[in-house]
Amino acid sequence: MRTPRPAALLIVILILAAVVSSFEATMMYTALPGIIEQFHATPSSAGWILTGFLLVGAASAAISGRLGDAFGRRNVLIVVLLASVAGSVVSLLADSLGVLIAGRSIQGLAGGLVPLCVGILRENLPPKNLPVAVATVAGAAMCGGAAGNIVAGNIYDAWGWHYIFVVSLALALVTAAGAFLLPPAVERTGFDRIDWLGGILFAPGIALAMYGINESSTWGWGSGKTWAFIGGGLLVLAAWVGWELYTEKPLLNVRYFASRKIGLTLLVTMLVSFGTLGISGFLGQIVMQMPTIAPVGLGLSAGVAGDISFACSLLGFAIAPLSGRISRGGRSRNAFLFGAAFGLAAAILSALLLDTVAGWIVSQLVLTCATGFMLSSLPNLIVEGVHGENTSEVSGFYMVTQNAFAAVGTSVGTAILSRNLIAGTPFSTHASYDTLLRSSGSARCWPSWSRSSSGRAPSPTVRRLI
């Protein structure tokens, strides 16, 4: 017989688990400009610190969800947290970009935590309390992502990027200890063979295609190597889709796209993840931290940039419970539409208020409202459209989609910035930023971002270079 646990304790522990996942996903954004400089890397090569984490996170979300359904969600949650600890240790000891990318990729296993959290909530809470609890955990994940910016930014300024992993290691260890207090795992009467191939094949397919796109700035679009990687990745992805359609019990059931509600939710997740989580995630930090002598940059320190991001995101965390209340009674679509309306307003304000740092913050606050409503309503849309016993499976598919397209957005974005660098500097030209923002569908006014907060234009030296 299962031992009851207070709902508050359950939610607090799962909030910590969600924070581990999102904190680790964003904690290197503020350090990225400094890592580019330290390792003399291009944005596209350093971007694999983010892309590697997200791709492994996508695979972990798929496998962890199904493993949770089979072996008990609490048990798998603890294993994933311990794997995250191992990734933090490898990254902490890294002395090269390659080792750092490897450690971050191991850390990416934390991407499987959120679908496990949603499954644990559903099997332990009454239906009337579930929407608010799910939205609160999702909002905590957003807050954890913002905390990644503020904590990492200030640690980077004080001691360097290695010490960021001390925080992630301690957080994962504490959460793993707390996870033992969760209700015992629900016993399963049977266990189906896991479709391991379907759970991991998409990740190398995306990685191959993205590597080809990243290296196109070096090899050129006319190079056979560029198209060999892109074509090879697309072939692997086609094989993955074929396998998932063929196998009787796929791990990532692509047939869900045929379901009107789930399919549309996953398609919307692709778009939101590509732009909001992928491109905007790293772009804001680069813009804030690049020096004012660069074609684009506000010249802020990593700590100040992290502070601004965190302050903006607190609004998103506050909005999450409101989104949950709106979502009650199967009305999650309404909460998402609120987010879409804020997103439209953010695009307009971005074009009008980016003459100063203060104006940029205002536009980001509105964008945070949009993100808060959208990212907290999407998990509830998934819950509304699926039977209880498949919650972790479909929530895992949702997280796979989110992480995979955030990785695609990051990879494409850093590749675009790397295509036109000022010789001898890590600075991208106006042309790169213009192309990037057109590809993300954002409206921006680059003359405002090319000035410092005091209104100074770039130096004549930089203007001649570009």
Side-chain angles (χ1 to χ4, degrees):
M1 182 176 179
R2 299 177 65 200
T3 303
R5 295 285 191 275
L9 175 63
L10 174 77
I11 293 173
V12 167
I13 294 171
L14 296 181
I15 283 176
L16 283 175
V19 167
V20 169
S21 178
S22 58
F23 178 87
E24 293 183 355
T26 62
M27 68 184 197
M28 297 308 290
Y29 282 110
T30 50
L32 186 63
I35 288 174
I36 291 173
E37 181 179 357
Q38 177 179 339
F39 291 110
H40 306 289
T42 63
S44 61
S45 58
W48 281 95
I49 297 170
L50 312 176
T51 303
F53 179 96
L54 291 169
L55 286 178
V56 174
S60 176
I63 296 172
S64 297
R66 182 57 65 88
L67 286 174
D69 289 339
F71 295 114
R73 290 153 185 161
R74 185 190 74 162
N75 299 336
V76 178
L77 186 81
I78 293 171
V79 171
V80 171
L81 285 167
L82 294 178
S84 173
V85 170
S88 293
V89 171
V90 172
S91 301
L92 176 62
L93 301 176
D95 59 357
S96 68
L97 184 61
V99 175
L100 179 57
I101 291 172
R104 285 284 292 161
S105 298
I106 297 171
Q107 252 193 341
L109 292 168
L113 291 172
V114 172
L116 291 168
C117 291
V118 173
I120 292 172
L121 287 171
R122 188 161 192 172
E123 68 185 13
N124 287 282
L125 295 181
K128 68 176 183 178
N129 296 333
L130 185 61
V132 174
V134 170
T136 300
V137 170
M142 180 185 300
C143 192
N149 287 323
I150 187 172
V151 172
N154 286 283
I155 288 177
Y156 179 84
D157 283 346
W159 300 295
W161 59 264
H162 284 87
Y163 287 89
I164 299 173
F165 293 100
V166 174
V167 176
S168 65
L169 190 157
L171 180 60
L173 275 177
V174 169
T175 307
F180 284 96
L181 300 177
L182 291 171
V186 175
E187 294 183 2
R188 307 292 173 178
T189 56
F191 173 65
D192 295 323
R193 182 177 62 86
I194 294 179
D195 173 29
W196 296 105
L197 185 63
I200 64 174
L201 193 60
F202 73 92
I206 294 175
L208 285 171
M210 291 302 99
Y211 186 76
I213 292 174
N214 286 161
E215 293 301 316
S216 65
S217 59
T218 301
W219 298 336
W221 285 106
S223 171
K225 290 191 294 183
T226 298
W227 291 106
F229 275 97
I230 295 175
L234 294 177
L235 286 175
V236 172
L237 289 173
W240 169 70
V241 172
W243 173 262
E244 294 300 86
L245 290 173
Y246 167 79
T247 189
E248 184 178 353
K249 294 183 178 180
L251 186 55
L252 293 173
N253 193 348
V254 296
R255 296 180 183 88
Y256 280 123
F257 280 99
S259 167
R260 183 175 180 272
K261 188 162 189 174
I262 296 177
L264 286 175
T265 301
L266 293 174
L267 287 173
V268 169
T269 301
M270 292 178 183
L271 298 175
V272 172
S273 301
F274 180 88
T276 302
L277 301 180
I279 292 178
S280 297
F282 76 87
L283 180 61
Q285 292 299 321
I286 288 181
V287 168
M288 285 191 288
Q289 293 185 51
M290 282 296 168
T292 56
I293 63 169
V296 175
L298 297 174
L300 304 178
S301 69
V304 172
D307 294 343
I308 291 174
S309 297
F310 178 75
C312 291
S313 66
L314 287 178
L315 180 60
F317 179 65
I319 282 173
L322 174 61
S323 174
R325 291 184 180 277
I326 295 173
S327 297
R328 283 176 171 172
R331 296 191 295 270
S332 299
R333 182 181 66 174
N334 294 344
F336 182 84
L337 291 176
F338 272 107
F342 274 109
L344 178 61
I348 296 172
L349 290 173
S350 294
L352 298 175
L353 300 178
L354 285 179
D355 290 331
T356 64
V357 174
W360 183 85
I361 292 175
V362 169
S363 69
Q364 293 304 293
L365 286 171
V366 178
L367 179 60
T368 299
C369 290
T371 306
F373 274 110
M374 289 190 289
L375 292 188
S376 58
S377 62
L378 286 171
N380 275 324
L381 281 168
I382 292 294
V383 170
E384 290 174 4
V386 67
H387 295 295
E389 63 271 16
N390 301 117
T391 298
S392 284
E393 176 190 0
V394 185
S395 295
F397 202 169
Y398 161 76
M399 289 304 301
V400 167
T401 304
Q402 184 183 95
N403 285 340
F405 276 82
V408 171
T410 300
S411 187
V412 170
T414 53
I416 291 173
L417 289 185
S418 298
R419 287 200 61 80
N420 294 296
L421 295 176
I422 299 174
T425 77
F427 304 148
S428 300
T429 64
H430 281 287
S432 295
Y433 286 97
D434 289 339
T435 302
L436 177 60
L437 289 169
R438 282 196 298 270
S439 69
S440 66
S442 300
R444 293 289 190 251
C445 181
W446 282 117
S448 62
W449 266 357
S450 57
R451 293 189 295 268
S452 69
S453 57
S454 62
R456 295 190 304 271
S459 69
T461 302
V462 173
R463 285 204 299 269
R464 285 195 298 269
L465 288 171
I466 59 176

